[in-house]
Amino acid sequence: MSGLPEVTQVNAKVVADSVNEAGNRLTTMVVTLPRSALAELNTHRAFSRNSASSRAVPVQRMIEYVQRSPYVPRAFSVNQPGMNAHEFIEPDSPQWADVLAWWTQSVETALCQARAGLELGVHKQEVNRILEPFLMHTVVISSTEWDNFFDQRLATDDAGAPLAYLPIYDAAAAMKDALAGSAPRAVAEGDWHTPFITTDERNVLDPEQVRAVAAARSARVSYFTPTGDRVIGAGPSLVADLRLCERLLSPGEGSAPHLSPFEHVATPATPGSGNFTGWRQWRADVEASRSSQEP
């Protein structure tokens, strides 16, 4: 990393948007936000989520991410009592250059310590934690309920300053804009909400394969770029996606199935399942099938 880095943008992109005959809307979006805001996002149980793991990504790849594009806040909170910040140091503030230099030095220190841990042979699940404050993080989120999240995370004080931690406020603002700018597709009873599936793929795959590929791609968060993009055609093949779906369901002896990606695939139903209103997650069908096969 050379010079002072630029402020990092938080973004959200809708990848599937469906509405059933009863008017229940199910939306899946890819959100790229600071890793430091992930814990606050995860408190919202209305969301089905899949995201990258610091235990899974090689240290060298994490180092390259931070070197190339470290997370830089758009503003730094001014120190004061209490948990809510009402004043901020922004790019046009007199203190900005000094605070940004402090942040940049912190990035360099973290990179140095991560390299040292790598040389010592420390596992990535330990070393990568040092880099987390300076990483962006991509999350796949599906939900039928968004209002409570927006009400909490976009609240402001009398002067209009965010009451939430600024990165989660920015993520919520990006998510609300993405939702408002998307037009849902009408999905009839018996049809399915299937994220990451192109029109061409929907035409050539049978319905079971479409669901399998959608679940697999929801699990493949590691194939997103640091900015949250997934380039169609640049990732694994359809055959690889189908095989991944099989591994999620049957990971092998001694391992439990990984069923959270199956929550993003859903069909209209009343009253719904899991954390969805008006939609039954594919996960519910998978779990019911597995239960019926148990001795």
Side-chain angles (χ1 to χ4, degrees):
M1 186 177 64
S2 59
L4 294 178
E6 296 182 357
V7 168
T8 307
Q9 298 299 315
V10 176
N11 61 72
K13 178 182 179 181
V14 172
V15 294
D17 199 357
S18 305
V19 61
N20 63 22
E21 293 176 352
N24 303 118
R25 182 180 180 184
L26 170 59
T27 308
T28 300
M29 62 178 73
V30 174
V31 182
T32 303
L33 75 167
R35 179 62 174 76
S36 59
L38 182 62
E40 299 193 40
L41 179 71
N42 286 346
T43 63
H44 294 272
R45 298 176 65 186
F47 294 166
S48 287
R49 303 172 301 271
N50 281 96
S51 63
S53 170
S54 293
R55 299 179 61 205
V57 182
V59 175
Q60 189 56 48
R61 189 189 303 174
M62 289 286 214
I63 288 174
E64 291 170 1
Y65 286 171
V66 174
Q67 273 187 312
R68 185 167 59 248
S69 53
Y71 163 58
V72 178
R74 68 175 177 87
F76 294 87
S77 306
V78 174
N79 186 30
Q80 62 184 63
M83 63 181 293
N84 293 329
H86 299 277
E87 297 181 50
F88 300 90
I89 299 169
E90 300 176 287
D92 59 354
S93 303
Q95 293 174 272
W96 177 257
D98 290 339
V99 173
L100 183 58
W102 160 76
W103 184 262
T104 303
Q105 183 58 52
S106 301
V107 173
E108 296 290 356
T109 300
L111 287 167
C112 180
Q113 293 304 311
R115 295 187 190 100
L118 187 60
E119 291 176 2
L120 289 170
V122 180
H123 193 278
K124 57 181 175 290
Q125 72 175 354
E126 311 289 353
V127 179
N128 284 343
R129 305 295 180 187
I130 295 173
L131 298 172
E132 285 182 352
F134 311 105
L135 281 165
M136 295 297 285
H137 193 83
T138 298
V139 189
V140 179
I141 303 173
S142 294
S143 185
T144 59
E145 308 291 337
W146 301 91
D147 288 346
N148 182 65
F149 171 72
F150 294 143
D151 288 345
Q152 285 192 33
R153 301 306 182 178
L154 293 178
T156 58
D157 62 17
D158 293 340
L163 293 175
Y165 177 46
L166 194 57
I168 194 67
Y169 173 91
D170 288 345
M175 292 161 69
K176 187 171 185 179
D177 287 346
L179 193 66
S182 178
R185 176 180 70 98
V187 174
E189 183 176 352
D191 198 358
W192 290 79
H193 174 90
T194 49
F196 305 112
I197 300 295
T198 67
T199 301
D200 289 344
E201 290 170 337
R202 201 181 303 277
N203 291 335
V204 300
L205 298 173
D206 65 48
E208 184 75 16
Q209 289 176 320
V210 169
R211 294 196 293 272
V213 172
R217 289 178 178 171
S218 296
R220 288 190 186 277
V221 183
S222 60
Y223 284 87
F224 286 91
T225 70
T227 55
D229 300 316
R230 183 186 189 278
V231 181
I232 298 298
S237 66
L238 287 173
V239 172
D241 284 331
L242 292 170
R243 288 175 178 168
L244 174 57
C245 183
E246 293 177 1
R247 291 199 303 274
L248 293 170
L249 292 170
S250 303
E253 187 175 354
S255 298
H258 302 283
L259 300 184
S260 59
F262 295 85
E263 296 180 16
H264 303 281
V265 182
T267 189
T270 302
S273 70
N275 47 4
F276 291 174
T277 299
W279 295 81
R280 186 179 75 253
Q281 298 170 345
W282 193 21
R283 175 173 185 161
D285 294 348
V286 170
E287 290 179 332
S289 176
R290 294 176 67 87
S291 297
S292 67
Q293 296 172 11
E294 292 179 354

